[in-house]
Amino acid sequence: MADGVDAIVIGAGIAGLVAARRIAAAGRSVLVLEARDRVGGRTATIDVRGTRMDVGGQWLGPQQRRMQALVRDYGLAMFPTFHHGRKILEIGGARSTYEGAIPSLPAASLVDFEIARRVMEWQRVRVPTHAPHLAARAQRLDALSVAGWSRRLIHTARTRAVFDAAVRGVFGAEPSEVSALYFLAYSNAGGGFLQLVEVDGAAQEQRFVDGAQSVSNAMAGELGAAVRLNSPARAIAWDAQGADVHTDADVHRGRHVVLALAPALVRTIRFSPPLPPAKDQLLQRMPMGSTIKCLAAYERPFWRDDGLSGEVVSDGDVSVTYDNTGADGRTPAIVAFVVGAHARRWSTRSADQRRDMLITALTRWFGPQAAHPVFYEDKDWSADPWSGGCPVGVLPPGALTSAAATLRDPAGCLHFAGTETAVEWTGYMEGAAESGERAAQEVLAQ
């Protein structure tokens, strides 16, 4: 058995490293156990012809103050997301272009969209992010899926198709798989649903020059030998005095344990005694979203030459694309997201088949030049055993009110972090950082 420490953090993503950093800064001993051979969790950066690009989380918004502080602390360089020019909307196979934030919809659909948006805003500000189950009409909202709830608000097919594509992109799940109450709480945590999906002043405004994984790399560098890679936690024996964490090679003793993992992964660990029933039941009911993130790089940004921004919203297999060209412009690229049921279907295809399917879609939108990428890579997050999916764990109808607020509640010496437990910017890097701060405060308070 290794020497005991004040806190063991399981997971070296942003949540776990922020927690470890806070605990270490307070003068306490900490050990970080990471199953992968790298840090970063659901952020992952690769080299694309000399440019750092992300196959995981990649964007930062101006209101995300904790992540912005980490950027300043470590002197990381940022650059704005390119989004100038016309955007493409494809609904039911029909292609149109538009400028600005509002898609090119018929007048009746635009009126429908605006009325629905106002009702959603009115409802979401009344759902407390720290306790959604206490909202007025919480039981009724939680009994509805987003699909069922939105059909009461949105009455035109094209508007609903655009909304459904956005929901898939945010959650990696179908609208029928997401609780309406969870959707409202999640939206409220980020300042409104449009804040989650737009670029200017919103969640997609900035990118990291060296990739989003550079944040975790910097924190891990500061923590040094306290971070152990290739060390998956297999079992935890816990009591009032602390816990023994079993990895493949060692047993580590800690007075506290911070589980900075996606909820679905917490259940892969054997607990003795078992977790409290309410918490375990909620973890059972929170699967990960399904996302395949695709990168296609080209010799030149031909879509810009045609006055296009690179952004597409579609109700087809590929829900969303963006211009993903690097900061120096040397590596023009498009990033595309296959999500929800489409991602689950694509997961059964080979890498070559997925490439062909993606290139077919890009060619349909951007023309024949899109058929000849000089680089292609995709990341199927559902096939990653240490994530189980992406971007976030999803609560289906009925789960949130039946389990109340157990997701982030400590259990003895066990503390729970991860972006799913956040009350600000749930599901985003900012949410991960917030959850890490909260878990560290819980540990230090004891």
Side-chain angles (χ1 to χ4, degrees), residues 176-205:
S176 60
E177 298 167 341
V178 184
S179 154
L181 181 64
Y182 183 59
F183 169 86
L184 290 169
Y186 195 99
S187 299
N188 204 23
F193 190 61
L194 291 183
Q195 279 289 311
L196 307 185
V197 299
E198 292 184 351
V199 176
D200 274 339
Q204 279 71 236
E205 186 174 88

mmCIF file of all heavy atoms in Angstrom, residues 176-205:
data_model
loop_
_atom_site.group_PDB
_atom_site.id
_atom_site.type_symbol
_atom_site.label_atom_id
_atom_site.label_comp_id
_atom_site.label_asym_id
_atom_site.label_seq_id
_atom_site.Cartn_x
_atom_site.Cartn_y
_atom_site.Cartn_z
ATOM 1 N N SER A 176 -35.936 13.120 -27.976
ATOM 2 C CA SER A 176 -36.805 12.178 -27.265
ATOM 3 C C SER A 176 -36.110 11.521 -26.082
ATOM 4 O O SER A 176 -36.772 10.899 -25.241
ATOM 5 C CB SER A 176 -37.295 11.093 -28.223
ATOM 6 O OG SER A 176 -36.193 10.381 -28.767
ATOM 7 N N GLU A 177 -34.781 11.665 -25.986
ATOM 8 C CA GLU A 177 -34.003 11.003 -24.937
ATOM 9 C C GLU A 177 -33.649 11.925 -23.783
ATOM 10 O O GLU A 177 -33.004 11.495 -22.821
ATOM 11 C CB GLU A 177 -32.716 10.424 -25.550
ATOM 12 C CG GLU A 177 -32.970 9.374 -26.616
ATOM 13 C CD GLU A 177 -31.745 9.025 -27.439
ATOM 14 O OE1 GLU A 177 -30.779 9.819 -27.460
ATOM 15 O OE2 GLU A 177 -31.756 7.957 -28.077
ATOM 16 N N VAL A 178 -34.037 13.193 -23.874
ATOM 17 C CA VAL A 178 -33.629 14.202 -22.892
ATOM 18 C C VAL A 178 -34.853 14.734 -22.160
ATOM 19 O O VAL A 178 -35.847 15.116 -22.792
ATOM 20 C CB VAL A 178 -32.882 15.369 -23.576
ATOM 21 C CG1 VAL A 178 -32.381 16.369 -22.535
ATOM 22 C CG2 VAL A 178 -31.725 14.843 -24.414
ATOM 23 N N SER A 179 -34.784 14.788 -20.840
ATOM 24 C CA SER A 179 -35.859 15.371 -20.039
ATOM 25 C C SER A 179 -35.985 16.859 -20.321
ATOM 26 O O SER A 179 -34.976 17.582 -20.399
ATOM 27 C CB SER A 179 -35.556 15.167 -18.548
ATOM 28 O OG SER A 179 -36.167 16.143 -17.737
ATOM 29 N N ALA A 180 -37.221 17.359 -20.439
ATOM 30 C CA ALA A 180 -37.442 18.790 -20.647
ATOM 31 C C ALA A 180 -36.942 19.589 -19.455
ATOM 32 O O ALA A 180 -36.398 20.687 -19.616
ATOM 33 C CB ALA A 180 -38.922 19.063 -20.895
ATOM 34 N N LEU A 181 -37.107 19.059 -18.244
ATOM 35 C CA LEU A 181 -36.615 19.765 -17.051
ATOM 36 C C LEU A 181 -35.089 19.840 -17.075
ATOM 37 O O LEU A 181 -34.511 20.890 -16.758
ATOM 38 C CB LEU A 181 -37.094 19.046 -15.792
ATOM 39 C CG LEU A 181 -36.680 19.685 -14.459
ATOM 40 C CD1 LEU A 181 -37.301 21.070 -14.302
ATOM 41 C CD2 LEU A 181 -37.065 18.787 -13.280
ATOM 42 N N TYR A 182 -34.439 18.755 -17.453
ATOM 43 C CA TYR A 182 -32.978 18.765 -17.561
ATOM 44 C C TYR A 182 -32.525 19.748 -18.629
ATOM 45 O O TYR A 182 -31.556 20.494 -18.434
ATOM 46 C CB TYR A 182 -32.487 17.354 -17.882
ATOM 47 C CG TYR A 182 -30.980 17.211 -17.945
ATOM 48 C CD1 TYR A 182 -30.186 17.528 -16.849
ATOM 49 C CD2 TYR A 182 -30.350 16.745 -19.098
ATOM 50 C CE1 TYR A 182 -28.804 17.388 -16.901
ATOM 51 C CE2 TYR A 182 -28.980 16.592 -19.162
ATOM 52 C CZ TYR A 182 -28.209 16.916 -18.066
ATOM 53 O OH TYR A 182 -26.838 16.787 -18.126
ATOM 54 N N PHE A 183 -33.218 19.773 -19.753
ATOM 55 C CA PHE A 183 -32.900 20.720 -20.824
ATOM 56 C C PHE A 183 -32.971 22.157 -20.313
ATOM 57 O O PHE A 183 -32.074 22.976 -20.586
ATOM 58 C CB PHE A 183 -33.862 20.528 -21.989
ATOM 59 C CG PHE A 183 -33.796 21.608 -23.038
ATOM 60 C CD1 PHE A 183 -32.879 21.534 -24.067
ATOM 61 C CD2 PHE A 183 -34.642 22.711 -22.986
ATOM 62 C CE1 PHE A 183 -32.799 22.528 -25.038
ATOM 63 C CE2 PHE A 183 -34.581 23.705 -23.943
ATOM 64 C CZ PHE A 183 -33.658 23.620 -24.973
ATOM 65 N N LEU A 184 -34.011 22.496 -19.565
ATOM 66 C CA LEU A 184 -34.170 23.868 -19.073
ATOM 67 C C LEU A 184 -33.101 24.204 -18.042
ATOM 68 O O LEU A 184 -32.539 25.307 -18.049
ATOM 69 C CB LEU A 184 -35.565 24.053 -18.489
ATOM 70 C CG LEU A 184 -36.705 24.037 -19.515
ATOM 71 C CD1 LEU A 184 -38.053 23.946 -18.826
ATOM 72 C CD2 LEU A 184 -36.642 25.276 -20.410
ATOM 73 N N ALA A 185 -32.806 23.281 -17.141
ATOM 74 C CA ALA A 185 -31.756 23.527 -16.149
ATOM 75 C C ALA A 185 -30.397 23.679 -16.823
ATOM 76 O O ALA A 185 -29.593 24.560 -16.469
ATOM 77 C CB ALA A 185 -31.716 22.386 -15.136
ATOM 78 N N TYR A 186 -30.124 22.833 -17.798
ATOM 79 C CA TYR A 186 -28.867 22.851 -18.551
ATOM 80 C C TYR A 186 -28.730 24.173 -19.303
ATOM 81 O O TYR A 186 -27.664 24.808 -19.301
ATOM 82 C CB TYR A 186 -28.883 21.677 -19.513
ATOM 83 C CG TYR A 186 -27.579 21.286 -20.151
ATOM 84 C CD1 TYR A 186 -26.840 20.226 -19.651
ATOM 85 C CD2 TYR A 186 -27.108 21.926 -21.287
ATOM 86 C CE1 TYR A 186 -25.662 19.806 -20.262
ATOM 87 C CE2 TYR A 186 -25.935 21.526 -21.906
ATOM 88 C CZ TYR A 186 -25.220 20.473 -21.387
ATOM 89 O OH TYR A 186 -24.049 20.076 -21.996
ATOM 90 N N SER A 187 -29.822 24.603 -19.940
ATOM 91 C CA SER A 187 -29.805 25.876 -20.666
ATOM 92 C C SER A 187 -29.597 27.040 -19.705
ATOM 93 O O SER A 187 -28.836 27.977 -19.998
ATOM 94 C CB SER A 187 -31.121 26.065 -21.434
ATOM 95 O OG SER A 187 -31.304 25.039 -22.388
ATOM 96 N N ASN A 188 -30.256 26.993 -18.564
ATOM 97 C CA ASN A 188 -30.125 28.075 -17.591
ATOM 98 C C ASN A 188 -28.705 28.175 -17.052
ATOM 99 O O ASN A 188 -28.199 29.265 -16.779
ATOM 100 C CB ASN A 188 -31.109 27.866 -16.438
ATOM 101 C CG ASN A 188 -31.452 29.160 -15.731
ATOM 102 O OD1 ASN A 188 -31.320 30.246 -16.298
ATOM 103 N ND2 ASN A 188 -31.890 29.050 -14.496
ATOM 104 N N ALA A 189 -28.036 27.033 -16.910
ATOM 105 C CA ALA A 189 -26.662 27.030 -16.406
ATOM 106 C C ALA A 189 -25.709 27.779 -17.333
ATOM 107 O O ALA A 189 -24.671 28.288 -16.893
ATOM 108 C CB ALA A 189 -26.177 25.595 -16.215
ATOM 109 N N GLY A 190 -26.066 27.859 -18.627
ATOM 110 C CA GLY A 190 -25.222 28.563 -19.592
ATOM 111 C C GLY A 190 -25.778 29.902 -20.029
ATOM 112 O O GLY A 190 -25.254 30.505 -20.976
ATOM 113 N N GLY A 191 -26.843 30.367 -19.368
ATOM 114 C CA GLY A 191 -27.396 31.674 -19.715
ATOM 115 C C GLY A 191 -28.389 31.657 -20.840
ATOM 116 O O GLY A 191 -28.688 32.702 -21.425
ATOM 117 N N GLY A 192 -28.925 30.480 -21.180
ATOM 118 C CA GLY A 192 -29.916 30.385 -22.248
ATOM 119 C C GLY A 192 -29.441 29.494 -23.372
ATOM 120 O O GLY A 192 -28.236 29.394 -23.638
ATOM 121 N N PHE A 193 -30.396 28.840 -24.054
ATOM 122 C CA PHE A 193 -30.032 27.865 -25.078
ATOM 123 C C PHE A 193 -29.266 28.498 -26.232
ATOM 124 O O PHE A 193 -28.323 27.899 -26.769
ATOM 125 C CB PHE A 193 -31.287 27.163 -25.595
ATOM 126 C CG PHE A 193 -30.994 25.990 -26.482
ATOM 127 C CD1 PHE A 193 -30.288 24.899 -26.003
ATOM 128 C CD2 PHE A 193 -31.406 25.975 -27.807
ATOM 129 C CE1 PHE A 193 -30.009 23.803 -26.824
ATOM 130 C CE2 PHE A 193 -31.135 24.893 -28.635
ATOM 131 C CZ PHE A 193 -30.433 23.812 -28.138
ATOM 132 N N LEU A 194 -29.621 29.720 -26.621
ATOM 133 C CA LEU A 194 -28.899 30.359 -27.724
ATOM 134 C C LEU A 194 -27.442 30.616 -27.347
ATOM 135 O O LEU A 194 -26.562 30.604 -28.213
ATOM 136 C CB LEU A 194 -29.587 31.661 -28.128
ATOM 137 C CG LEU A 194 -30.952 31.510 -28.811
ATOM 138 C CD1 LEU A 194 -31.501 32.873 -29.220
ATOM 139 C CD2 LEU A 194 -30.869 30.586 -30.025
ATOM 140 N N GLN A 195 -27.166 30.860 -26.065
ATOM 141 C CA GLN A 195 -25.776 31.027 -25.631
ATOM 142 C C GLN A 195 -24.971 29.753 -25.858
ATOM 143 O O GLN A 195 -23.763 29.804 -26.090
ATOM 144 C CB GLN A 195 -25.732 31.390 -24.148
ATOM 145 C CG GLN A 195 -25.989 32.859 -23.848
ATOM 146 C CD GLN A 195 -24.815 33.721 -24.280
ATOM 147 O OE1 GLN A 195 -23.665 33.436 -23.963
ATOM 148 N NE2 GLN A 195 -25.115 34.782 -25.013
ATOM 149 N N LEU A 196 -25.636 28.611 -25.812
ATOM 150 C CA LEU A 196 -24.934 27.340 -25.981
ATOM 151 C C LEU A 196 -24.586 27.042 -27.431
ATOM 152 O O LEU A 196 -23.639 26.291 -27.694
ATOM 153 C CB LEU A 196 -25.790 26.189 -25.438
ATOM 154 C CG LEU A 196 -26.329 26.303 -24.008
ATOM 155 C CD1 LEU A 196 -27.042 25.014 -23.617
ATOM 156 C CD2 LEU A 196 -25.234 26.643 -23.015
ATOM 157 N N VAL A 197 -25.337 27.615 -28.371
ATOM 158 C CA VAL A 197 -25.187 27.200 -29.768
ATOM 159 C C VAL A 197 -24.630 28.284 -30.680
ATOM 160 O O VAL A 197 -24.324 28.002 -31.845
ATOM 161 C CB VAL A 197 -26.542 26.708 -30.329
ATOM 162 C CG1 VAL A 197 -27.028 25.504 -29.537
ATOM 163 C CG2 VAL A 197 -27.596 27.806 -30.312
ATOM 164 N N GLU A 198 -24.487 29.519 -30.200
ATOM 165 C CA GLU A 198 -24.021 30.597 -31.061
ATOM 166 C C GLU A 198 -22.531 30.867 -30.856
ATOM 167 O O GLU A 198 -21.883 30.287 -29.980
ATOM 168 C CB GLU A 198 -24.842 31.860 -30.820
ATOM 169 C CG GLU A 198 -26.294 31.706 -31.294
ATOM 170 C CD GLU A 198 -27.096 32.997 -31.157
ATOM 171 O OE1 GLU A 198 -26.591 33.961 -30.541
ATOM 172 O OE2 GLU A 198 -28.232 33.037 -31.659
ATOM 173 N N VAL A 199 -21.987 31.768 -31.671
ATOM 174 C CA VAL A 199 -20.555 32.073 -31.662
ATOM 175 C C VAL A 199 -20.283 33.416 -30.984
ATOM 176 O O VAL A 199 -19.605 33.474 -29.954
ATOM 177 C CB VAL A 199 -19.984 32.071 -33.099
ATOM 178 C CG1 VAL A 199 -18.516 32.496 -33.090
ATOM 179 C CG2 VAL A 199 -20.135 30.690 -33.724
ATOM 180 N N ASP A 200 -20.792 34.507 -31.527
ATOM 181 C CA ASP A 200 -20.503 35.838 -30.994
ATOM 182 C C ASP A 200 -20.981 35.977 -29.552
ATOM 183 O O ASP A 200 -22.170 35.838 -29.268
ATOM 184 C CB ASP A 200 -21.188 36.917 -31.843
ATOM 185 C CG ASP A 200 -20.344 37.326 -33.036
ATOM 186 O OD1 ASP A 200 -19.122 37.104 -32.998
ATOM 187 O OD2 ASP A 200 -20.905 37.842 -34.013
ATOM 188 N N GLY A 201 -20.045 36.246 -28.634
ATOM 189 C CA GLY A 201 -20.398 36.429 -27.236
ATOM 190 C C GLY A 201 -20.944 35.192 -26.577
ATOM 191 O O GLY A 201 -21.537 35.266 -25.500
ATOM 192 N N ALA A 202 -20.761 34.030 -27.194
ATOM 193 C CA ALA A 202 -21.381 32.797 -26.711
ATOM 194 C C ALA A 202 -20.341 31.676 -26.633
ATOM 195 O O ALA A 202 -19.135 31.910 -26.711
ATOM 196 C CB ALA A 202 -22.554 32.420 -27.610
ATOM 197 N N ALA A 203 -20.831 30.457 -26.497
ATOM 198 C CA ALA A 203 -19.969 29.334 -26.128
ATOM 199 C C ALA A 203 -18.931 28.970 -27.175
ATOM 200 O O ALA A 203 -17.920 28.340 -26.855
ATOM 201 C CB ALA A 203 -20.832 28.108 -25.818
ATOM 202 N N GLN A 204 -19.149 29.323 -28.438
ATOM 203 C CA GLN A 204 -18.205 28.966 -29.512
ATOM 204 C C GLN A 204 -17.320 30.131 -29.950
ATOM 205 O O GLN A 204 -16.743 30.097 -31.039
ATOM 206 C CB GLN A 204 -18.969 28.431 -30.729
ATOM 207 C CG GLN A 204 -19.378 26.974 -30.620
ATOM 208 C CD GLN A 204 -20.476 26.699 -29.622
ATOM 209 O OE1 GLN A 204 -20.314 25.900 -28.713
ATOM 210 N NE2 GLN A 204 -21.583 27.398 -29.751
ATOM 211 N N GLU A 205 -17.158 31.151 -29.130
ATOM 212 C CA GLU A 205 -16.488 32.374 -29.593
ATOM 213 C C GLU A 205 -14.982 32.219 -29.795
ATOM 214 O O GLU A 205 -14.412 32.780 -30.728
ATOM 215 C CB GLU A 205 -16.741 33.520 -28.609
ATOM 216 C CG GLU A 205 -16.184 34.848 -29.116
ATOM 217 C CD GLU A 205 -16.550 36.018 -28.218
ATOM 218 O OE1 GLU A 205 -15.798 36.290 -27.252
ATOM 219 O OE2 GLU A 205 -17.587 36.640 -28.481
#
